[in-house]
Amino acid sequence: MLRQIGKRLATAIPSLIGVVVVTFLLTRVLPGDTAAYFAGPAATPQAIAEIRAKLGLDRSLPEQFVSYVKDLATGNLGNSLSTGRPVVTEIKARLPASAELTFLGLFLAIAIAVPLGILAAVKQGSIIDHACRMVATAGVSLPVFFTGLLLVYVFYFLLGWAPAPLGRLDAFSSAPPEVTGFYLIDSLLARDLETFRASLAQLAVPAITMAVFSLAPIARMTRASMLAALASEFVRTAKASGLTPTTVIIRYAFRNALLPVVTTLGMVFSFLLGANVLVEKVFAWPGIGSYAIEALIASDFAPVQGFVLTMAIMYVALNLLIDMLYGVIDPRVRMEG
Amino acid sequence: MTAALPLLDVRNLTVEFATRRGIVTAVEQISIAVAKGETLGIVGESGSGKSVTSYAVMRILDRAGKIANGTVSFSGIDIRGMKEDEVRDLRGREMSMIFQNPRAALNPIRKVGKQIEDVLIRHVQAAPSDAREKAIEILRQVRIARPEERYHAYPFELSGGMCQRIVIALALACRPQLLIADEPTTGLDVTTQKAVMDLVVELTRERGMSTILITHDLGLAATYCDRVVVMEKGKVVETADSAIIFKSPLHPYTQKLMRATPRPNATLRGLLPEGEALPNPIPAPPANDDAAMLLKVENLVKEYPRQGATTSVFSLFKPKAPAADATFRAVDGISFEVRRGESVGLVGESGCGKSTTSMMVMRLLDPTSGRILFNGEDIGGTKAKDFAGLPQRRRIQMVFQDPTDSLNPRFTAVRAIADPLLRMGGLKGGAAIRARCEELARRVGLPVDLLDRFPHQLSGGQKARVGIARAIALDPELVILDEPTAALDVSVQAVVLNLLQDLKVSLGMSYLFVSHDLYVVRMLCDRVIVMKSGRIVEEGPTERVLAAPEAEYTRELLSAIPHPPV
């Protein structure tokens, strides 16, 4: 097992090196002159040149790359030019915010989509099946900023159930002492139920927004792979042995249908984590997506590099996790190892 | 009126399926009775409704199917009128079923022992505390060696025959009164088939169970059944004791089936229905020893790296491979010859290396060592991927086992036949190619108006003809036939075998015929090569090998083949 994980990690190293090279090159070819941007509109050419020299941008690309890799080796992702703070610190602070939102959104989506997909497959052609199709189509075709705004309008403005969509906590609470960076967990660890409630209230609407969007692929995939599993010969054997419908559906069909569902989950998760800029913007969420997009607009390349690298590492870790899950679910995958 | 009430009494059963084209009647007004302790065979070709009948009895028809009429009573209880959960109690406990393709019939990701436990616990034959013990005991009863270890095996770790034993164990775990075996040995080797069937018979006899054996194989039905029901197109055409039905079949369909079944003394022409017989075969020029050598294989070896050479921590129960022996010899130094105009049969059980050998001769696989001489030239040295460029490529063609899967579903029949012509035929112009395809179609007996159809619009026999036409399109000298009739019904097989024989004689081709069926080989081949574990165990003129086999293994193979007592 450990050897297998080691092997998988080893195969990830070339892709990580590729990511380092590509992000470095990409940020260099992005339009916009970083030095000119930070010197301000009124700066003289000399001032711009000075800043450029200070940033090291006047050196050749290979030279810049070597110093970038050297910094990287010491865990230094550089400083953000717009905030002046180290990128590592920023990402450390913002990644948990995005992750907490994503996890909760994904959890909600799974909790709804998987049972819905199973039911839709078991009762194919029934009302539930049509409902599943409708929910999935609606969820995937409504843009997240629209769902987000709609939910804010209904739950905050009309009903007043949700707090103002302004970040992770309302103005009256303070952040719990940091352990994991997830406010829900940290507040529970600190036995601060008030903060827990406040952060949950802030989380609920954006998490639902994300869930609505990610419902569709999960429900559709669950339904499709369940249909295939239910039509298989071993399900027929199970039925012919008189096993109860619950056993047949869960233990025989669903466990076999899990592989494609897990694959889809991995894809949905990585997509949600990095690409939910719109949700973060709508809810003023201090997440990693909005951080990256702001940096990109400002031609501030250090945070962009840091963001892409973080995402790449997360993606590799996620794929490793999924591969291990495959092994847990399907003994045949273990053999190939 | 017999005094004893039959265990299973099916009367006037009609099963309908709702399809896109309206309602299709799969089974019409059939009546079948099974007495206690009796073994009943239901025999018929594909589409005869024999499987549907058994599903209806078990009430496991899929969503589209429903019992439209008739009664099914099981020891006096009306199954059709029962509630779903009541039937569910009966299934597995009172009547159970074993299926074709045993590996697919088992949950691939659950330990086989656990699957047996599921059934035991469901029918309260065991409590969770002693389920494991009982499951192991049942594995022992179906002759699984080392049952304590096999309990933890997954289906993919077991052979086909072993999987079928597990399926039998599942079906018999709760000691039901009725066992329905739906093509239980299709796809298994003859010796495995014999072992599995003998086991079923022994277990059911000793428990006084009734059995329904559904099969397309008349030989199997004759060997193992007391009584036989013959079905055709959803109807029962004849019912009789198996001792009588094979001696004097009454219904024309039964007679036709009987004739088409390969058996010890049949001739190719004899397989065809009376009245439809083709003119007598063109007398083939006897393949004498002077005939030129076409194919000569010398010391052919194919090695594969042994699977699982890289160990996995999970696979505790894999049979341990000797660590020193990292390679596996699929083909272990074989030599043989095929002369011009000769048919050579390559016979053996799955895993004996016969398909690997044919793939190497076809140059789809690279041999590890050895020579393949075709017309005196060594073609074994050319890499498989470069072989398509050699002039010999068009001289060797192949007909594949599955007539459906070996046709591109998006090519029409004419496009499929034209494929080799387009690639290396040197014909110019669509009209010339079309004309050639029509000529080929006539040659293989495919109506020319079917040429523009797609594979899914053709029957199995028609698809087989397309495959054959494609293979002979370039006038090959050697055709490799890889179980070309294994997926076909016996009556279609009879026609296709005759076609192959006639084509061989009229086109002067040689055949390398790969098969597991010795009787089929006997009718088509001049010489036969029997393989086992990658080696040749016996070789000689077909008549001699079948009449007086020298190798113990050949005798074993021959005696395992069930055949009607004619």
Side-chain angles (χ1 to χ4, degrees):
Chain A
M1 189 71 192
L2 281 176
R3 245 179 62 192
Q4 260 177 301
I5 296 175
K7 254 191 218 162
R8 280 286 290 114
L9 280 178
T11 58
I13 290 171
S15 38
L16 283 180
I17 293 174
V19 168
V20 169
V21 175
V22 169
T23 47
F24 175 81
L25 288 177
L26 273 183
T27 47
R28 291 311 185 276
V29 300
L30 282 178
D33 184 347
T34 316
Y37 186 86
F38 282 96
T44 59
Q46 284 93 337
I48 294 177
E50 248 170 60
I51 290 178
R52 182 168 294 136
K54 208 178 108 200
L55 294 173
L57 290 174
D58 56 339
R59 288 182 290 159
S60 71
L61 270 186
E63 274 180 85
Q64 289 187 39
F65 182 68
V66 168
S67 64
Y68 170 63
V69 172
K70 267 189 195 158
D71 282 348
L72 211 56
T74 59
N76 180 8
L77 291 176
N79 285 345
S80 162
L81 293 175
S82 37
T83 63
R85 294 174 61 196
V87 171
V88 176
T89 326
E90 291 268 11
I91 287 179
K92 252 192 204 158
R94 284 165 169 271
L95 187 60
S98 284
E100 187 171 34
L101 181 58
T102 307
F103 274 128
L104 193 65
L106 196 65
F107 175 76
L108 281 175
I110 295 171
I112 299 166
V114 169
L116 196 63
I118 294 178
L119 275 176
V122 172
K123 302 195 180 300
Q124 195 191 352
S126 71
I127 293 178
I128 294 177
D129 192 12
H130 292 302
C132 172
R133 188 170 301 132
M134 227 173 64
V135 167
T137 314
V140 82
S141 49
L142 293 176
V144 275
F145 63 85
F146 178 78
T147 333
L149 286 176
L150 186 75
L151 290 175
V152 168
Y153 178 70
V154 172
F155 290 105
Y156 169 62
F157 186 75
L158 287 184
L159 298 170
W161 293 356
L166 293 170
R168 300 180 77 183
L169 280 176
D170 55 42
F172 313 108
S173 313
S174 54
E178 186 175 323
V179 184
T180 58
F182 290 11
Y183 282 4
L184 287 180
I185 296 175
D186 287 353
S187 59
L188 279 182
L189 287 175
R191 297 176 191 283
D192 183 355
L193 283 183
E194 190 49 39
T195 309
F196 178 77
R197 196 205 54 77
S199 61
L200 186 61
Q202 292 288 352
L203 259 175
V205 179
I208 292 172
T209 309
M210 304 249 282
V212 166
F213 181 71
S214 48
L215 264 178
I218 303 173
R220 298 298 289 170
M221 188 50 80
T222 309
R223 178 180 177 274
S225 63
M226 269 305 277
L227 279 180
L230 284 171
S232 69
E233 296 185 24
F234 58 86
V235 164
R236 192 180 60 191
T237 313
K239 280 186 190 158
S241 309
L243 299 185
T244 56
T246 328
T247 316
V248 173
I249 291 165
I250 301 300
R251 205 180 283 168
Y252 281 74
F254 181 60
R255 278 202 50 198
N256 274 285
L258 260 180
L259 280 190
V261 176
V262 168
T263 313
T264 316
L265 279 184
M267 270 157 41
V268 170
F269 179 79
S270 49
F271 177 75
L272 285 184
L273 191 64
N276 56 10
V277 184
L278 289 170
V279 179
E280 293 184 356
K281 282 282 173 203
V282 169
F283 293 92
W285 202 260
I288 193 170
S290 49
Y291 176 63
I293 203 95
E294 276 159 24
L296 192 65
I297 291 165
S299 297
D300 188 356
F301 55 78
V304 177
Q305 280 171 353
F307 169 77
V308 176
L309 201 59
T310 315
M311 283 299 142
I313 292 169
M314 300 261 316
Y315 201 71
V316 167
L318 185 75
N319 274 322
L320 181 66
L321 187 75
I322 287 175
D323 280 1
M324 280 159 58
L325 262 179
Y326 280 175
V328 173
I329 296 167
D330 190 340
R332 286 167 295 185
V333 179
R334 288 174 220 160
M335 301 291 290
E336 288 152 17
Chain B
M1 217 37 215
T2 45
L5 188 72
L7 180 69
L8 178 75
D9 196 2
V10 177
R11 291 216 179 145
N12 303 324
L13 179 74
T14 301
V15 178
E16 289 175 348
F17 281 85
T19 68
R20 249 180 271 175
R21 286 182 209 155
I23 288 180
V24 174
T25 308
V27 167
E28 203 176 344
Q29 295 284 333
I30 65 162
S31 299
I32 290 171
V34 185
K36 207 156 170 43
E38 182 186 39
T39 300
L40 178 78
I42 301 184
V43 174
E45 294 185 296
S46 49
S48 63
K50 53 195 197 301
S51 288
V52 170
T53 308
S54 64
Y55 295 167
V57 169
M58 296 283 287
R59 286 236 334 233
I60 52 170
L61 286 169
D62 63 25
R63 208 181 301 271
K66 76 173 206 314
I67 300 178
N69 193 18
T71 57
V72 178
S73 67
F74 179 79
S75 42
I77 320 165
D78 176 21
I79 299 246
R80 201 185 154 198
M82 280 173 105
K83 287 207 192 74
E84 174 59 25
D85 52 345
E86 291 169 342
V87 191
R88 206 179 298 130
D89 283 339
L90 286 186
R91 281 185 216 135
R93 200 184 68 203
E94 299 298 334
M95 50 186 187
S96 57
M97 197 157 173
I98 55 184
F99 299 92
Q100 191 177 353
N101 194 358
R103 192 166 286 128
L106 292 168
N107 187 344
I109 60 169
R110 196 163 169 78
K111 290 175 178 173
V112 294
K114 287 276 175 201
Q115 298 190 41
I116 296 175
E117 276 186 22
D118 284 341
V119 179
L120 286 173
I121 293 172
R122 163 69 182 90
H123 293 296
V124 210
Q125 302 286 313
S129 55
D130 64 349
R132 181 170 171 163
E133 209 178 297
K134 288 196 175 162
I136 289 173
E137 175 53 35
I138 288 162
L139 286 176
R140 188 169 291 127
Q141 284 169 11
V142 293
R143 310 279 147 69
I144 299 267
R146 291 177 287 137
E148 291 86 358
E149 284 174 38
R150 301 291 188 214
Y151 174 92
H152 296 281
Y154 292 96
F156 71 96
E157 295 171 314
L158 303 173
S159 68
M162 199 103 86
C163 282
Q164 192 57 289
R165 279 161 207 255
I166 305 282
V167 175
I168 294 170
L170 273 181
L172 298 186
C174 301
R175 300 187 159 260
Q177 301 183 58
L178 174 68
L179 175 73
I180 302 176
D182 186 0
E183 302 271 8
T185 57
T186 308
L188 299 181
D189 286 322
V190 278
T191 47
T192 318
Q193 160 170 297
K194 187 168 183 328
V196 165
M197 282 314 298
D198 288 348
L199 177 72
V200 168
V201 167
E202 188 192 320
L203 290 175
T204 50
R205 288 254 159 86
E206 126 196 334
R207 299 172 183 197
M209 289 171 57
S210 310
T211 310
I212 297 178
L213 174 66
I214 296 170
T215 180
H216 67 279
D217 186 340
L218 283 173
L220 201 65
T223 313
Y224 293 100
C225 298
D226 305 321
R227 225 153 40 89
V228 174
V229 170
V230 182
M231 284 184 75
E232 184 197 14
K233 293 176 188 149
K235 290 189 178 125
V236 172
V237 296
E238 189 166 358
T239 309
D241 283 357
S242 60
I244 298 168
I245 198 163
F246 294 105
K247 289 220 173 63
S248 50
L250 292 176
H251 193 275
Y253 179 71
T254 319
Q255 290 165 356
K256 183 178 147 199
L257 268 188
M258 281 295 302
R259 285 179 67 90
T261 301
R263 51 196 183 278
N265 302 311
T267 59
L268 272 179
R269 286 293 184 257
L271 296 181
L272 296 172
E274 272 172 294
E276 282 177 42
L278 297 167
N280 275 331
I282 314 144
N288 53 23
D289 292 349
D290 306 331
M293 196 71 67
L294 184 63
L295 176 77
K296 191 174 167 75
V297 171
E298 289 173 351
N299 274 320
L300 199 61
V301 173
K302 180 69 188 175
E303 284 181 348
Y304 288 106
R306 205 172 266 286
Q307 259 196 344
T310 52
T311 51
S312 151
V313 188
F314 281 106
S315 54
L316 290 170
F317 297 99
K318 254 187 342 181
K320 289 189 185 67
D325 204 9
T327 56
F328 163 71
R329 285 202 160 187
V331 174
D332 194 0
I334 67 167
S335 307
F336 62 88
E337 295 156 358
V338 179
R339 293 171 189 279
R340 266 182 201 287
E342 190 184 35
S343 289
V344 175
L346 204 53
V347 179
E349 304 199 325
S350 53
C352 73
K354 59 186 193 298
S355 288
T356 311
T357 305
S358 69
M359 299 268 275
M360 283 192 285
V361 173
M362 188 66 238
R363 302 302 295 110
L364 296 171
L365 274 181
D366 281 324
T368 308
S369 66
R371 296 207 301 163
I372 302 168
L373 298 169
F374 186 75
N375 275 335
E377 283 171 75
D378 188 6
I379 57 169
T382 316
K383 284 245 174 290
K385 63 177 187 330
D386 300 328
F387 183 62
L390 290 193
Q392 283 94 340
R393 175 62 186 83
R394 48 178 302 165
R395 311 255 66 101
I396 309 177
Q397 297 289 336
M398 190 157 183
V399 178
F400 300 91
Q401 178 165 8
D402 190 317
T404 307
D405 281 354
S406 58
L407 293 177
N408 185 337
R410 295 191 297 163
F411 277 7
T412 58
V414 66
R415 179 64 185 80
I417 298 171
D419 206 40
L421 297 172
L422 292 168
R423 286 179 195 278
M424 41 183 49
L427 279 180
K428 287 277 174 281
I433 287 176
R434 175 85 198 185
R436 173 73 178 142
C437 289
E438 288 184 2
E439 185 199 329
L440 286 164
R442 274 191 288 275
R443 196 136 231 169
V444 299
L446 183 72
V448 172
D449 53 323
L450 296 184
L451 272 178
D452 292 307
R453 292 202 185 172
F454 287 96
H456 69 268
Q457 297 165 316
L458 299 170
S459 72
Q462 287 160 351
K463 279 182 279 201
R465 286 174 203 265
V466 173
I468 294 168
R470 179 174 59 181
I472 62 169
L474 293 172
D475 295 321
E477 289 168 275
L478 176 67
V479 176
I480 296 170
L481 304 160
D482 185 4
E483 309 241 13
T485 58
L488 301 174
D489 280 325
V490 277
S491 58
V492 183
Q493 166 175 288
V495 179
V496 171
L497 289 176
N498 275 288
L499 170 69
L500 285 170
Q501 174 65 22
D502 293 349
L503 284 174
K504 188 195 95 163
V505 175
S506 60
L507 298 177
M509 299 180 288
S510 302
Y511 284 160
L512 184 60
F513 189 89
V514 179
S515 180
H516 67 277
D517 191 333
L518 275 168
Y519 290 142
V520 171
V521 167
R522 187 186 63 82
M523 289 182 287
L524 200 65
C525 298
D526 309 313
R527 276 191 311 123
V528 62
I529 296 168
V530 183
M531 281 184 76
K532 188 192 183 196
S533 314
R535 289 168 191 265
I536 294 177
V537 294
E538 185 161 7
E539 182 180 358
T542 317
E543 288 304 335
R544 204 276 296 147
V545 171
L546 268 83
E550 280 165 10
E552 178 60 33
Y553 179 68
T554 315
R555 276 197 287 274
E556 204 181 302
L557 270 186
L558 274 171
S559 69
I561 306 177
H563 52 81
V566 179

